[in-house]
Amino acid sequence: MTGVSRPAMCPSNMRRCFISLAVALAFTAAACSEGEPGVPTSTLPAAQLVELIASDPPVVDGSTSTQPMRMLLVCRLLDVDCDWMDMGLSTHRVIVPDADSPPARQAFDLVPTSGTHGSYLSLISGESDLIVVARPPSDDEIASAAATGMEFDIHPIARDAFVLLVNEEGPVTNLSLDQIRGIYSGEITDWDEVGGPAAPIQPYRRNETSGSEQLMKQLVMGDAPMVEAPDWLLGFSMIAPFTSLSHDPLGLGYSVYYYAAFMQPLEMVSMIGVNGVVPSSESIGNGTYPLVTEVYAVIRTGEEGAPRAMFDWLVTSDGQDTIAATGYVKLP
């Protein structure tokens, strides 16, 4: 198993975030011969890697927050016309003008979204060939893979960040890591303990197998146990914290930056600073935001052909430029 790393966003006030011509050209198959048998794909030129990927495109599953990246990558790979567009209300969507064309239908079929845990299971079962997710596999997922005789190859392909959320009229604009741990361990229960008004804190949580919940435990809580959440504070989808916080000025929740900045449709929910630093493309890219995390590509160990070629290509200069064009912060 390999290491980890980090995403850059298109400014939210741009009407469109276009893939640049130079990046689009990276997807053009070069007039070059196939690599010799036995040559690792990681040693092939970028154009030859792309040619190999396009010859038999892999099924690319993943977490909800990575759906735009995966869709745009596959669209460009299959030469399908699509754009990452600002739809208003802070929401961006992948738009495919000719969605009924056979290439577009193929692109849609190649990009299921099973969520983080579901994507690991789909990779284990062979339903997908490569996944793009917001966290490494859990111990349970590693054990499930081992039970079938397989292991994961994983490496980081972009940067994202874990973010804290409040209602736009929420009582604070910044929390320290110690304060966040105190709230979610049950030691801090009122906003006046962290600089807000005298009012009870409503700490929203996600379901146990979600990427957000696992990141919360890894990046913030550490060994500190989280307070049990009643059903009404527990969300089973990425949109759940945003929906709840839009109606609750005393609530606190969490998500990942890419989803919060580009994919959620509710302007009445705001990201707050952590240790005095507000999450942004710049603070994620330079590492000053304290909860920077990585987005990972994962394949089965021993996988070759197009899945391996795409896995290797994503960390090349051309692959990183393409990822950055989808709105993520590329690796440093």
Side-chain angles (χ1 to χ4, degrees):
M1 185 177 296
T2 58
V4 188
S5 283
R6 330 255 191 192
M9 311 292 176
C10 299
S12 59
N13 62 352
M14 288 180 63
R15 185 62 191 169
R16 291 174 179 247
C17 297
F18 289 108
I19 305 296
S20 69
L21 177 60
V23 173
L25 288 174
F27 282 96
T28 303
C32 56
S33 61
E34 291 293 331
E36 292 183 17
V39 175
T41 57
S42 59
T43 67
L44 298 177
Q48 197 168 348
L49 283 172
V50 171
E51 186 177 33
L52 179 56
I53 300 164
S55 67
D56 183 22
V59 176
V60 186
D61 205 343
S63 56
T64 303
S65 60
T66 67
Q67 191 274 341
M69 178 207 293
R70 292 179 289 112
M71 189 66 196
L72 285 166
L73 289 172
V74 170
C75 279
R76 296 308 186 227
L77 183 64
L78 299 179
D79 197 25
V80 173
D81 181 24
C82 62
D83 289 308
W84 181 224
M85 296 181 63
D86 178 358
M87 304 300 290
L89 293 177
S90 298
T91 306
H92 292 63
R93 290 285 184 270
V94 176
I95 303 299
V96 184
D98 191 13
D100 291 329
S101 67
R105 289 199 298 272
Q106 182 187 13
F108 286 121
D109 289 342
L110 290 169
V111 188
T113 298
S114 302
T116 302
H117 180 61
S119 295
Y120 277 108
L121 297 182
S122 78
L123 189 62
I124 293 168
S125 68
E127 295 174 44
S128 62
D129 304 304
L130 181 149
I131 63 174
V132 180
V133 288
R135 62 165 172 80
S138 66
D139 290 344
D140 288 344
E141 289 155 355
I142 292 172
S144 295
T148 69
M150 68 162 283
E151 296 179 351
F152 300 117
D153 279 0
I154 176 170
H155 60 206
I157 60 170
R159 279 188 167 185
D160 202 346
F162 182 78
V163 297
L164 279 297
L165 309 168
V166 296
N167 182 280
E168 64 176 348
E169 298 178 359
V172 300
T173 58
N174 180 79
L175 289 170
S176 71
L177 282 172
D178 286 341
Q179 289 171 333
I180 299 166
R181 275 190 292 268
I183 291 169
Y184 278 96
S185 66
E187 296 175 6
I188 297 174
T189 60
D190 201 285
W191 284 112
D192 66 1
E193 300 177 69
V194 292
I201 301 172
Q202 311 283 18
Y204 290 91
R205 287 185 57 182
R206 287 292 315 281
N207 54 297
E208 187 66 28
T209 59
S210 71
S212 299
E213 189 73 0
Q214 293 299 312
L215 289 173
M216 175 64 167
K217 292 180 177 180
Q218 294 164 12
L219 298 176
V220 178
M221 300 305 295
D223 295 330
M226 294 182 74
V227 66
E228 197 70 30
D231 288 346
W232 67 276
L233 285 175
L234 192 62
F236 287 86
S237 65
M238 288 201 75
I239 193 65
F242 297 89
T243 303
S244 298
L245 290 169
S246 69
H247 303 293
D248 187 354
L250 300 178
L252 178 68
Y254 44 83
S255 187
V256 292
Y257 178 76
Y258 189 85
Y259 187 85
F262 291 103
M263 295 178 68
Q264 64 85 14
L266 303 173
E267 286 192 328
M268 60 282 294
V269 176
S270 302
M271 292 179 280
I272 62 172
V274 176
N275 286 357
V277 181
V278 176
S280 67
S281 297
E282 182 179 3
S283 64
I284 293 168
N286 62 27
T288 56
Y289 181 70
L291 297 176
V292 172
T293 185
E294 286 81 25
V295 178
Y296 300 90
V298 189
I299 60 174
R300 293 177 286 270
T301 297
E303 187 77 74
E304 296 299 336
R308 173 66 64 176
M310 188 168 186
F311 183 78
D312 290 338
W313 175 77
L314 288 169
V315 292
T316 66
S317 176
D318 287 333
Q320 286 290 290
D321 286 346
T322 306
I323 286 171
T326 71
Y328 273 94
V329 178
K330 62 183 178 180
L331 302 177

